[in-house]
Amino acid sequence: MTNSVSPKRSVLVGISPPSKNLWEKGHIFANVVSVEGQPICWSATNYSLTEDDERQNALTLILQAYFDDSEEEVTSAAIVRAVQREFQTHFPKEDFFVEEWSTAPAPIPLRPIEGYDKVLGNCNFDNDTKQNEAQAILHEYGILCQRKILGSEEISELRQLADRAIKEVESAITKNRPDIRIGQDSFVFTEIASRNLERFDLRINAMSSSPISLAAIEFVDKHIRSQKKVESLLKEVLGGNDDESIHEIDCDISVIYSRSGAVTQMWHSDGKHQEDKKDGGWNDDGWRTDLAKPYALCLFIPLIDLNDTVGFTQFWPASHRNRDLVGFGQIANLTNATFDGVGKAGDAIWYDYRLMHRGMCNVSKDTLRPVIQVVFKQKWYVERSNYGTDSIYGNNNGTGNKT
């Protein structure tokens, strides 16, 4: 990106059929540098290939331009016209189709040309090299996959804890709030929240009066935090420069579960960017130089195998870099920039708390989809936005909150 532009907006320009000359030799980057005398710039690293389902799945190159939309002459449509003129002038015999795909007030993360599989991988942190690679991937993309963080016996134990927690809390709802239709109504309590049909977020360690809470905490300490590779990842990503920083990290433990009939969520992030901290900005390497460290890191562990039938969590890799991407999640669908969190029971996905994602629908006949979520966080951070303040156990006269 050149220093002559102070971007305030990005635009995705689709070009079909794609040509390697367009991005490898930088023809568009070098020749379309201004619109109506006002400078624009192109991301040299953030481009992609995808299929255009409105044009019979035509393979399309997606390039991204940054511009200052406070200048009236510079619009996304004007940039598309400039690209069209460039083709007409230099490639008059070739039939290129050029159109605007989307626009946003931040750089838009796109799927790498080679896809996500090689980039995100399945990392077991089995040596120092892998450990460093894992940290780098998590920093750049906000997400990391790990195979078999727990074995079958540990998953069985954890499933029993989750089932007990679900039964106890839902029984408390039925007893203390009989007006709530579980699976139909939206509600938020200290221990559990439901914002979508048949989808629930049960915070096990908030069940302070139940032995299940202590059992869950002990399980995480014994089987997850005790793993050397986990402790090292937490220290490097969330901690400081000294060994004592690991003691400034605590966690919340939840079971996220969806029953048959659960619908697909809206795109969202669990946590916001801190107001006094920088995001990745407009530079292509801003995620490396400017983006503040995360204050929380989420660990997802499915208790059953996840697939298209029972559903999974879908992520938008690299969307943790910019705070202004919130509300623009549909661009991930449009450009095929999504990553599907499918996997086996006991596998794990780590993700930055600021990363955008959504739970997908459960279209099974009667299969519960339980996923353990452990939010590792700096101790100063207290989760206030995703749960309510009243307890379902009636500690606040049973008032609760039905939304």
Side-chain angles (χ1 to χ4, degrees), residues 148-167 202 204-205 207 212-225 227 251-257 299-304 344-348 368-374 376:
K148 297 181 180 178
I149 192 172
L150 295 176
S152 57
E153 291 184 4
E154 294 161 333
I155 286 297
S156 177
E157 180 182 346
L158 201 50
R159 179 63 191 266
Q160 292 178 41
L161 277 174
D163 288 345
R164 286 169 55 199
I166 293 169
K167 181 177 180 180
L202 195 169
I204 299 176
N205 61 308
M207 300 168 61
I212 299 174
S213 175
L214 179 60
I217 294 171
E218 290 178 345
F219 182 96
V220 169
D221 287 342
K222 179 180 179 181
H223 297 291
I224 298 176
R225 289 200 68 160
Q227 296 185 30
C251 67
D252 288 336
I253 308 166
S254 304
V255 54
I256 312 296
Y257 63 102
L299 171 64
F300 267 8
I301 306 174
L303 302 183
I304 65 169
K344 300 290 186 180
D347 288 347
L368 181 77
R369 181 178 91 219
V371 176
I372 290 297
Q373 172 186 270
V374 185
F376 293 102

Side-chain angles (χ1 to χ4, degrees), residues 7 17 31 34 82 99 113 127 219 227 245 248 302 376:
N31 291 279
S34 65
E99 67 176 337
I113 293 290
N127 54 47
F219 182 96
Q227 296 185 30
S245 64
E248 295 302 313
F376 293 102

Side-chain angles (χ1 to χ4, degrees), residues 237-309:
V237 176
L238 295 178
N241 297 322
D242 57 86
D243 292 338
E244 294 301 314
S245 64
I246 193 69
H247 302 299
E248 295 302 313
I249 300 171
D250 61 11
C251 67
D252 288 336
I253 308 166
S254 304
V255 54
I256 312 296
Y257 63 102
S258 300
R259 291 194 171 94
S260 175
V263 298
T264 297
Q265 285 183 303
M266 300 289 288
W267 284 98
H268 65 281
S269 60
D270 292 332
K272 299 179 180 180
H273 286 256
Q274 295 171 259
E275 293 183 2
D276 60 339
K277 302 292 185 180
K278 290 184 177 182
D279 65 8
W282 287 94
N283 289 322
D284 283 341
D285 62 350
W287 60 270
R288 182 183 292 113
T289 60
D290 298 326
L291 179 63
K293 291 181 65 173
Y295 54 86
L297 192 60
C298 190
L299 171 64
F300 267 8
I301 306 174
L303 302 183
I304 65 169
D305 295 350
L306 302 183
N307 52 46
D308 290 338
T309 301

Side-chain angles (χ1 to χ4, degrees), residues 177 179-181 184-189 399-403:
R177 288 299 302 271
D179 58 307
I180 292 178
R181 299 170 300 169
Q184 303 297 316
D185 293 331
S186 296
F187 54 83
V188 288
F189 293 93
T399 54
N401 293 289
K402 179 180 173 182
T403 60

Side-chain angles (χ1 to χ4, degrees), residues 15-20 22-23 49 59-61 96:
I15 303 169
S16 180
S19 166
K20 287 188 176 181
L22 298 180
W23 74 88
L49 286 173
L59 188 62
T60 302
L61 171 67
F96 285 103

Side-chain angles (χ1 to χ4, degrees), residues 191-193 195 199-203 254-256 373 387:
E191 300 85 7
I192 188 171
R195 300 174 186 84
R199 186 186 306 280
F200 309 89
D201 182 344
L202 195 169
R203 187 163 51 166
S254 304
V255 54
I256 312 296
Q373 172 186 270
Y387 303 93

